[in-house]
């Protein structure tokens, strides 16, 4: 269980809190998705969980323990993370990169074991980068690099999986692979906390939605609780229609177009 209780974060020299009393939970066995417009505080939520920004008020806990009391190595064994941005520092192979996910379990100087190798093999298969195992990470396309990063987090294991915009650079097919994998992790009993702009995909896969706006929780609940046109229009400041996806029955967001004269809005 990942829990945020009244969390407040303000960056230096800013006049407004990036997070303003945010309370939410991501229990095991389901996907909890955090959505919202740019600047709403989504990535700050992940940074606060990982201790990369200071919490000015409130608390964040993992299975009841304050994350500030958990050593970094222990935290890495408990929570696997795909952050929004990361650059490859060294020209290592994809397999070597994915194997870095096992470091919290064996240490920097520990030798890899058969369970370590099995975890790496399985992660690469699931993320569909096994055919790239010998390629240098500097030779990967944006989408391939994103999938390699996902594989490293899968190899890491742990009680919880946190993904901040994990489908960036991915095509439709690989977006679906990632969301299917997140669903599998939840069914296996992990707490999955997902940050995403992909509202329509999130609506198909997430069990709970938390909508952030200007650092506050604007709405939270099931997908059907949150995916209402009046709520989304207020937060995104754009006219929308919420329909039903005929294939799966999930809510589907359709933004409306502006007319060329700048007047009323037209239907899609």
């Amino acid at each position: 269980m990942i829990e945020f209780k009244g969390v407040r974060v303000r960056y230096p020299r800013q006049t407004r809190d990036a997070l303003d009393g945010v309370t939410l939970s991501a229990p095991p066995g389901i996907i909890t998705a955090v959505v919202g417009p740019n600047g709403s505080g989504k990535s700050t939520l992940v940074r606060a969980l990982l201790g990369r920004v200071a919490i000015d008020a409130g608390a964040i806990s993992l299975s009841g323990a304050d994350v500030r009391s958990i050593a970094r190595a222990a935290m890495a064994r408990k929570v696997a993370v795909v952050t929004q941005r990361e650059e490859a520092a060294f020209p290592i192979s994809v397999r070597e990169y994915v194997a870095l996910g096992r470091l919290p379990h064996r240490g920097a100087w520990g030798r890899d074991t058969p369970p370590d190798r099995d975890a790496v093999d399985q992660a690469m298969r699931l993320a569909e980068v096994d055919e790239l195992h010998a390629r240098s990470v500097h030779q990967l396309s944006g989408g391939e690099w994103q999938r390699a990063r996902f594989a490293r987090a899968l190899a890491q294991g742990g009680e919880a999986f946190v993904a901040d915009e994990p489908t960036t650079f991915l095509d439709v097919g690989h977006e679906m692979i990632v969301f299917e994998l997140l669903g599998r992790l939840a069914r296996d009993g992990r707490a999955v906390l997902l940050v995403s702009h992909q509202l329509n995909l999130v609506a198909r896969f997430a069990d709970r939605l938390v909508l952030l706006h200007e650092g506050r929780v604007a709405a939270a609940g099931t997908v059907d609780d949150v995916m209402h046109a009046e709520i989304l229009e207020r937060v995104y400041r754009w006219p929308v229609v919420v329909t039903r996806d005929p294939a799966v029955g999930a809510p589907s967001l359709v933004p409306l177009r502006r007319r060329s004269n700048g007047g009323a809005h037209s239907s899609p």
Side-chain angles (χ1 to χ4, degrees):
M1 172 79 80
I2 300 171
E3 290 186 284
F4 292 73
K5 294 182 179 179
V7 173
R8 185 170 65 84
V9 173
R10 179 176 292 189
Y11 291 109
R13 297 181 295 279
Q14 298 299 308
T15 59
R16 181 174 67 83
D17 290 336
L19 296 176
D20 186 3
V22 169
T23 295
L24 64 91
S25 63
I30 68 171
I31 297 177
T32 302
V34 180
V35 297
N38 293 336
S40 59
K42 301 187 302 298
S43 291
T44 299
L45 199 77
V46 176
R47 295 186 191 110
L49 171 64
L50 300 179
R52 296 177 180 175
V53 296
I55 302 170
D56 296 304
I60 305 172
S61 62
L62 179 65
S63 299
D66 192 311
V67 296
R68 289 169 291 192
S69 69
I70 302 174
R72 289 179 65 89
M75 187 73 172
R77 289 191 294 270
K78 293 175 180 291
V79 183
V81 181
V82 179
T83 56
Q84 191 172 130
R85 297 180 184 88
E86 180 185 353
E87 297 296 332
F90 305 103
I92 58 178
S93 72
V94 170
R95 182 178 179 81
E96 290 170 327
Y97 174 76
V98 175
L100 293 176
R102 301 303 300 168
L103 286 179
H105 302 274
R106 60 181 174 82
W109 307 110
R111 300 184 63 174
D112 62 339
T113 64
D116 290 324
R117 292 191 288 272
D118 289 344
V120 171
D121 289 339
Q122 182 182 31
M124 294 181 68
R125 284 195 301 270
L126 290 173
E128 296 196 359
V129 294
D130 45 334
E131 294 184 357
L132 306 173
H133 68 96
R135 189 183 299 181
S136 168
V137 291
H138 285 172
Q139 297 173 338
L140 301 179
S141 69
E144 290 167 342
W145 171 235
Q146 192 73 347
R147 284 154 50 202
R149 295 178 60 221
F150 202 89
R152 186 189 67 173
L154 288 172
Q156 189 174 334
E159 305 166 13
F161 193 98
V162 178
D164 186 0
E165 301 291 354
T167 57
T168 302
F169 304 119
L170 298 184
D171 57 37
V172 173
H174 287 103
E175 282 182 338
M176 290 298 293
I177 288 171
V178 165
F179 274 89
E180 291 280 3
L181 279 173
L182 292 173
R184 177 175 174 172
L185 293 174
R187 291 191 299 272
D188 287 345
R190 295 197 205 184
V192 177
L193 181 62
L194 166 67
V195 173
S196 180
H197 279 99
Q198 300 278 19
L199 269 174
N200 288 335
L201 273 177
V202 163
R204 290 182 61 180
F205 287 91
D207 300 283
R208 290 185 58 81
L209 279 184
V210 178
L211 177 63
L212 292 184
H213 178 50
E214 296 181 347
R216 299 179 180 179
V217 175
T222 67
V223 171
D224 287 325
D225 290 336
V226 177
M227 291 283 284
H228 288 282
E230 60 271 22
I231 296 174
L232 299 176
E233 285 186 349
R234 183 176 71 249
V235 169
Y236 287 93
R237 297 173 182 171
W238 194 268
V240 302
V241 170
V242 176
T243 63
R244 286 281 169 181
D245 186 320
V248 296
S252 180
L253 172 70
V254 180
L256 303 181
R257 294 181 60 186
R258 289 192 186 275
R259 289 181 175 170
S260 58
N261 63 7
H265 298 90
S266 63
S267 59

